[in-house]
Amino acid sequence: MDVIGLTGGIAAGKSAVAARLAELGAVVIDADRLAREVVEPGTPGLAAIVHRFGDAVLAPDGSLDRARLGSLVFADVSARRDLNAIVHPEVQRRYGELVVEAFARDADAIVVYDVPLLAEARAASEFALVVVVDAPPEVRIDRLVSLRGMSRADARARIDAQIPDAERRAMADVVIDASGTLEHTLEQVDALWERLVAQRAVGGPS
């Protein structure tokens, strides 16, 4: 069951690429969405977080107060490690379920796992193909400032906190250059899709 890994630094344009792949027919599994789902009210994930961090991390409606939890783990490496030990296995479990479901529905499905921290947290060897969406830091800073309202200093700090772009590109089988117009980015995605469909017809990604 070959899965394509999709990643990119913050504001590189990965979301646009994922959306286009979904439009074209890919089954896109969003790691960030899974991380939210596995800690929804009533889940084992949320119960484990409350057991570790206490009821103070719950909002009045019983959902996870992410801001409160974030403040607890931001400067505490041990707490952050404990949180990851709770959330990551739950995300991996749910991801596995969704992959099995996708291929059960269609053995020839093109499944894409959208993982922001693929280079930091996962092995490229897990995937049949790794697609990296790339844009220079200055372009990404401009996007964070204009689209998300960050200061330039905060935007640069967010980018600097991630692994260097060169390391991300080094694990790529395919690099999507998203530094220019959206149209140019989508043209590359469309070309990639044509390649994936052709490879599927002869037995899978290579």
Side-chain angles (χ1 to χ4, degrees), residues 8-11 32 74 116-117 120 137 140-141 144-145 148-165 168:
I10 186 172
D32 282 344
F74 178 74
L117 301 181
E120 293 90 337
R140 294 157 60 197
I141 288 170
L144 289 170
V145 171
R148 304 194 193 182
M150 290 187 185
S151 68
R152 295 193 73 81
D154 286 345
R156 184 171 293 281
R158 290 288 297 275
I159 289 173
D160 289 345
Q162 298 185 329
I163 69 166
D165 292 344
R168 197 178 289 109

Side-chain angles (χ1 to χ4, degrees), residues 4 9 11 54 73 81 106 111 147 150 155 161 165 173 193-194 199 206:
I4 295 162
V73 304
R81 187 181 300 117
D106 179 3
V111 179
L147 300 177
M150 290 187 185
D165 292 344
D173 298 300
W193 180 256
E194 292 179 5
Q199 289 171 342
S206 60

Side-chain angles (χ1 to χ4, degrees), residues 7-180:
T7 193
I10 186 172
K14 180 177 60 61
S15 295
V17 172
R20 182 63 155 203
L21 287 169
E23 289 176 6
L24 292 168
V27 177
V28 177
I29 301 172
D30 184 335
D32 282 344
R33 184 175 300 169
L34 297 190
R36 293 190 295 271
E37 289 180 0
V38 300
V39 294
E40 289 179 347
T43 61
L46 182 58
I49 288 174
V50 172
H51 179 75
R52 167 60 179 84
F53 296 98
D55 291 338
V57 299
L58 292 177
D61 64 358
S63 64
L64 182 63
D65 185 335
R66 294 178 182 279
R68 173 61 178 160
L69 180 60
S71 69
L72 291 176
V73 304
F74 178 74
D76 186 333
V77 174
S78 177
R80 190 160 61 249
R81 187 181 300 117
D82 289 347
L83 176 62
N84 289 339
I86 293 168
V87 175
H88 288 177
E90 287 296 305
V91 169
Q92 183 65 13
R93 176 189 59 77
R94 184 60 182 144
Y95 159 71
E97 291 174 350
L98 292 174
V99 169
V100 169
E101 290 172 8
F103 285 114
R105 288 192 302 269
D106 179 3
D108 293 324
I110 294 176
V111 179
V112 177
Y113 194 27
D114 178 351
V115 194
L117 301 181
L118 188 154
E120 293 90 337
R122 305 184 69 90
S125 59
E126 291 182 43
F127 302 100
L129 197 76
V130 173
V131 179
V132 171
V133 184
D134 190 52
E138 287 303 319
V139 171
R140 294 157 60 197
I141 288 170
D142 288 344
R143 290 172 180 169
L144 289 170
V145 171
S146 63
L147 300 177
R148 304 194 193 182
M150 290 187 185
S151 68
R152 295 193 73 81
D154 286 345
R156 184 171 293 281
R158 290 288 297 275
I159 289 173
D160 289 345
Q162 298 185 329
I163 69 166
D165 292 344
E167 290 187 31
R168 197 178 289 109
R169 287 192 295 269
M171 70 186 302
D173 298 300
V174 175
V175 175
I176 300 291
D177 175 12
S179 61

